[in-house]
Amino acid sequence: MHLHSPAFFTGNSIPFQYTCDGDNLSPPLSWDSPPNGTVSFALIMEDPDAPKETFTHWVVYNLPAHIEYLPEGVVNHATLPGGGVQGKNDFGQLGFGGPCPPSGTHRYFFKLYALDQILDLPPGASKADLIAAMEGHVLEAAELMGRYARQS
């Protein structure tokens, strides 16, 4: 399974419009080659370079297996058109919160999980809730990493 974005390549800078300094839009993401038995997907975006602990920017789950992409600018609603549910990020909001490092260059990891079931989680679940619910149900995972540094 592979996770891609037409907006940036892994290891490269995340474009301005997908950050708190720009339009704070979620970047477009697509994936391919999920394993047999995939029933749903989950996505976590996080910053392990945050000052105190890993900061969660996006939590999405119960994306149906037939979905192969998320478009640019996913609206921060509890449920997504076509299926899927959004959790709360560490900004305390539903949906996507763009890169916004306090200093230096941070790495942002988008992690996609192929799951063997739909998860029994309500909208607004935390990353910790999602990770607990996924335990024993992850068939495969893929990752995309981008970087961002705010201009002084």
Side-chain angles (χ1 to χ4, degrees):
M1 186 166 73
H2 302 95
L3 179 60
H4 320 271
S5 178
F8 64 96
F9 294 108
T10 195
N12 288 8
S13 291
I14 295 172
F16 186 76
Q17 68 262 35
Y18 306 118
T19 72
C20 70
D21 297 314
D23 297 323
N24 209 27
L25 298 172
S26 62
L29 298 170
S30 63
W31 50 92
D32 55 36
S33 306
N36 289 335
T38 300
V39 174
S40 71
F41 295 101
L43 177 77
I44 297 172
M45 177 196 170
E46 57 190 4
D47 171 6
D49 301 321
K52 295 186 179 175
E53 59 186 26
T54 298
F55 193 91
T56 303
H57 286 262
W58 202 11
V59 176
V60 184
Y61 43 97
N62 292 342
L63 290 165
H66 69 272
I67 291 182
E68 297 174 343
Y69 71 94
L70 287 171
E72 176 182 87
V74 171
V75 179
N76 290 348
H77 291 196
T79 57
L80 301 177
V85 180
Q86 296 194 90
K88 277 199 177 167
N89 58 42
D90 283 347
F91 293 110
Q93 301 167 341
L94 279 175
F96 179 82
C100 201
S103 64
T105 301
H106 285 218
R107 296 167 300 149
Y108 297 88
F109 290 87
F110 295 81
K111 298 177 184 177
L112 181 74
Y113 301 90
L115 307 174
D116 65 3
Q117 69 175 25
I118 297 289
L119 302 176
D120 185 20
L121 286 175
S126 69
K127 177 179 81 173
D129 294 335
L130 175 57
I131 289 171
M134 289 192 309
E135 190 171 335
H137 299 288
V138 177
L139 299 173
E140 195 172 332
E143 183 175 274
L144 173 66
M145 186 271 290
R147 302 175 189 274
Y148 183 67
R150 299 178 83 182
Q151 303 301 313
S152 309

